[in-house]
Amino acid sequence: MASDAPPPLLDLTIDNITPNTNRINSQGDDARMKYLMTRLVTHLHDFARETRLSTEEWMTALNFLVACGQISSDEFILLSDILGLSLLVDSINHPKPPGATEGSVLGPFHTHDAPTLENGSKMAFDPKGDPIFCLCTVKDKEGNPIQGVKIDIWETDSTGHYDVQHAGRDEPSERCVMVSDAEGRFWFEGIKPVSYPIPHDGPVGKLLTKLNRHCWRPAHLHFMFGKEGWDNLITALYMRGDKYETTDAVFGVKQSLIVDYGTVDAEIAAKYGIKEGMTLLQHDFVLVTEEESAQLRDKNAVEALEKLGLRMKLVDHLPVPELD
Amino acid sequence: MASDAPPPLLDLTIDNITPNTNRINSQGDDARMKYLMTRLVTHLHDFARETRLSTEEWMTALNFLVACGQISSDEFILLSDILGLSLLVDSINHPKPPGATEGSVLGPFHTHDAPTLENGSKMAFDPKGDPIFCLCTVKDKEGNPIQGVKIDIWETDSTGHYDVQHAGRDEPSERCVMVSDAEGRFWFEGIKPVSYPIPHDGPVGKLLTKLNRHCWRPAHLHFMFGKEGWDNLITALYMRGDKYETTDAVFGVKQSLIVDYGTVDAEIAAKYGIKEGMTLLQHDFVLVTEEESAQLRDKNAVEALEKLGLRMKLVDHLPVPELD
């Protein structure tokens, strides 16, 4: 599409502001950017028109955004989480074929400074935490082990806080990176996850209160799997029976990710050099290849856009309008 | 609507996340808040679904919002301005019947510390500015003068900056409050407004660049009229022939607000004690009553919502769903 001269912008009204804004925003050459901006502005304006948004409500919304930006760089992730957007974006981008481990929300507490630990290491040092032994595998859909997968693992301490939420954190705790072995295994000692409130001292917490919603997440352990050629898997395991199992403030729980504790038996104890009778968390994760994930994402996109009656083509796997 | 128990939130997908988010957001008693949130979440999710928003694009958007919040508390107003939302919200909330002065965008540079000056005062002290004499009236639609209207007036200096944009501003300059006299008149000495770029050192400026848009506003003088019983009028006068007359970065220009300079003649010079031959800016503003504005707003809302096929009722002049 050639860049047209900008439209004359005069006498803009409730009824003509949207096409005019979209026209002046469409002078660039980036088709994807133009499509994103056009849909964003159209939805934003439709929202204001449908609700007859008052000046006071508009100002309240702007002040809310300012407060989010000022309290912490993570507040907008939290906002996205509690509005279901994070779950939605993850679902769009990491579709899972049957048999693959489902994804869950990343949340704002992943860091990039976790130490890479040997299999069998302890990754949680809170003395008040209940120790658990985690024994996991990572395989493909056909059951073949995947060696050399980098696995980020992170959880809260026994008080329900991630290390980064404590003032004066010197070094990472309750987080680590492990690498799967030739049998696709990785194992470590952690502590029993506990349910905890998401940060609620800021504008997002106030919004939840106004909506009569609680700010709790059920107990869970975060995992992120990465290896070249395999679709990045961000997920979590949720402990069955948690009080907040069906009301997670950030919509992350999936039935396939709810797990039960077991007990370390004599065989496992001997094999991994740990105490018999210890609480055991065992899980087998299943990854899909980057290629399969991309194909599935494209297929889902084409089907969804057709269903919406939109004439689109995919460029770099992302839809842009199909022009005549 | 009674508050229902929250829905069980499990196994949320691209297709069911929206109704579930809306249900858990609808546990409060504030019908307006519920309607606003439902429409907001629906539009946000529809946007992500239609565009198949990528994780990278989502993260770019969140980082953009963080940057807006961090640079200045006015950046979100600027964002609203350049996306046409400010113009739209003003148009919804301050509809003007034929004969009334049209509104324009407030912008981020109005302050509450401007001095109230006697009619005839000088309100701009930039020695490099070209002096102008402004002679205005404020009347009702029938041509009757309105006395005692408080009028906020603000403009940039000759370099295109408002006083608050200069580091080390001690006191207001190029801004004042005047009060209309028994004949509805107010008059003052200002300087010729110049076109100027909106602040573009932050994320909003970067966005404009990415969109191939310039960041300029045509030369204008801001006015805000307030008196109990009269609909608050936020408007501006634009100088005819400005280079940016039809491409205002914030969509504020209306033909009825474009004005020509005149020249102070002998009669005006004698009457107001100023120099003959000085540049003159003359304008008659027309206010509508709060009641007429509210009635027109309600009428427009009912018509627009019917046209959209939405079954709504107005509560405190704002739409909420009409329930069975």
Side-chain angles (χ1 to χ4, degrees), chain A residues 3 6-14 17 20-21 24-28 30 32-33 35-37 39-41 43-59 62 65-66 69-70 72-73 76-77 80-94 102 207 210-213 245-248 251 253-256 258 297 300-301 304-305 308 310 312 318-319, chain B residues 3 6-14 17 20-21 24-29 32-33 35-37 39-41 43-59 62 65-66 69-70 72-73 76-77 80-94 102 207 210-213 245-248 251 253-256 258 297 300-301 304-305 308 310 312 318-319:
Chain A
S3 299
L9 299 169
L10 266 180
D11 293 329
L12 297 174
T13 65
I14 299 177
I17 182 71
N20 277 286
T21 306
I24 205 168
N25 281 346
S26 298
Q27 302 174 81
D30 182 338
R32 176 67 179 167
M33 174 89 180
Y35 179 54
L36 288 174
M37 287 304 296
R39 296 311 304 154
L40 181 73
V41 165
H43 280 297
L44 189 67
H45 289 191
D46 282 349
F47 169 72
R49 271 187 293 256
E50 284 166 11
T51 60
R52 312 302 290 182
L53 193 67
S54 77
T55 304
E56 294 69 31
E57 290 165 343
W58 169 78
M59 191 46 82
L62 293 185
L65 294 174
V66 172
Q70 285 174 345
S72 139
S73 60
F76 283 112
I77 293 186
S80 168
D81 289 353
I82 67 125
L83 295 182
L85 181 65
S86 305
L87 183 283
L88 176 57
V89 170
D90 184 69
S91 305
I92 289 170
N93 286 277
H94 299 283
E102 293 191 275
L207 177 61
K210 251 190 124 50
L211 292 171
N212 265 17
R213 282 175 58 178
E245 190 173 284
T246 60
T247 60
D248 181 3
F251 309 106
V253 185
K254 282 163 183 166
Q255 298 202 58
S256 69
I258 300 178
R297 195 166 61 235
N300 289 350
L305 295 168
L308 290 170
L310 298 172
M312 310 292 285
L318 294 172
Chain B
S3 300
L9 299 170
L10 266 181
D11 293 328
L12 297 174
T13 66
I14 299 177
I17 181 71
N20 276 286
T21 306
I24 205 168
N25 280 347
S26 297
Q27 302 174 81
D29 294 318
R32 176 68 179 166
M33 175 91 179
Y35 179 55
L36 289 174
M37 287 304 297
R39 296 311 304 155
L40 181 72
V41 166
H43 280 296
L44 190 66
H45 289 191
D46 282 348
F47 169 72
R49 271 187 294 254
E50 284 165 11
T51 60
R52 312 302 290 182
L53 192 68
S54 77
T55 304
E56 293 69 31
E57 290 165 342
W58 169 78
M59 190 47 83
L62 293 186
L65 293 175
V66 171
Q70 285 175 346
S72 139
S73 60
F76 284 111
I77 294 186
S80 168
D81 289 353
I82 67 125
L83 295 182
L85 181 65
S86 305
L87 184 282
L88 176 57
V89 169
D90 184 68
S91 304
I92 289 170
N93 285 276
H94 298 284
E102 292 191 275
L207 177 61
K210 250 189 126 49
L211 292 171
N212 265 16
R213 282 175 58 178
E245 189 172 286
T246 60
T247 60
D248 182 3
F251 310 103
V253 184
K254 283 164 182 166
Q255 299 202 58
S256 69
I258 300 177
R297 196 165 59 235
N300 289 350
L305 295 168
L308 290 170
L310 298 171
M312 309 293 285
L318 293 172

Side-chain angles (χ1 to χ4, degrees), chain A residues 18-248:
Chain A
T18 309
N20 277 286
T21 306
N22 286 336
R23 284 220 304 277
I24 205 168
N25 281 346
S26 298
Q27 302 174 81
D29 294 318
D30 182 338
R32 176 67 179 167
M33 174 89 180
K34 285 194 273 193
Y35 179 54
L36 288 174
M37 287 304 296
T38 298
R39 296 311 304 154
L40 181 73
V41 165
T42 302
H43 280 297
L44 189 67
H45 289 191
D46 282 349
F47 169 72
R49 271 187 293 256
E50 284 166 11
T51 60
R52 312 302 290 182
L53 193 67
S54 77
T55 304
E56 294 69 31
E57 290 165 343
W58 169 78
M59 191 46 82
T60 301
L62 293 185
N63 287 338
F64 177 84
L65 294 174
V66 172
C68 284
Q70 285 174 345
I71 196 170
S72 139
S73 60
D74 295 329
E75 194 77 1
F76 283 112
I77 293 186
L78 270 187
L79 181 60
S80 168
D81 289 353
I82 67 125
L83 295 182
L85 181 65
S86 305
L87 183 283
L88 176 57
V89 170
D90 184 69
S91 305
I92 289 170
N93 286 277
H94 299 283
K96 300 292 186 273
T101 300
E102 293 191 275
S104 192
V105 288
L106 174 65
F109 296 116
H110 175 254
T111 69
H112 294 276
D113 65 352
T116 299
L117 301 180
E118 290 291 316
N119 271 311
S121 301
K122 204 167 160 174
M123 55 74 79
F125 299 92
D126 179 355
K128 291 189 178 152
D130 281 335
I132 55 172
F133 181 64
C134 301
L135 178 53
C136 306
T137 64
V138 49
K139 297 186 176 167
D140 67 14
K141 277 166 48 196
E142 287 70 42
N144 304 306
I146 313 176
Q147 185 176 8
V149 179
K150 210 173 131 279
I151 306 127
D152 282 68
I153 305 159
W154 65 108
E155 63 170 332
T156 69
D157 63 19
S158 63
T159 71
H161 294 88
Y162 291 91
D163 55 359
V164 290
Q165 294 179 279
H166 290 295
R169 167 199 195 251
D170 330 299
E171 51 181 24
S173 190
E174 287 78 65
R175 62 178 77 236
C176 71
V177 177
M178 314 212 84
V179 179
S180 59
D181 73 4
E183 295 170 51
R185 292 176 309 174
F186 60 98
W187 63 99
F188 58 94
E189 284 184 49
I191 57 175
K192 277 191 184 174
V194 295
S195 47
Y196 63 85
I198 59 170
H200 54 286
D201 54 340
V204 169
K206 288 200 189 100
L207 177 61
L208 286 175
T209 303
K210 251 190 124 50
L211 292 171
N212 265 17
R213 282 175 58 178
H214 69 67
C215 52
W216 288 81
R217 297 212 65 201
H220 61 279
L221 198 54
H222 287 280
F223 295 88
M224 180 157 70
F225 298 81
K227 184 181 176 178
E228 222 187 298
W230 299 88
D231 189 46
N232 197 44
L233 170 64
I234 295 165
T235 191
L237 296 179
Y238 296 88
M239 307 307 139
R240 192 179 312 280
D242 191 283
K243 187 176 167 190
Y244 302 105
E245 190 173 284
T246 60
T247 60
D248 181 3

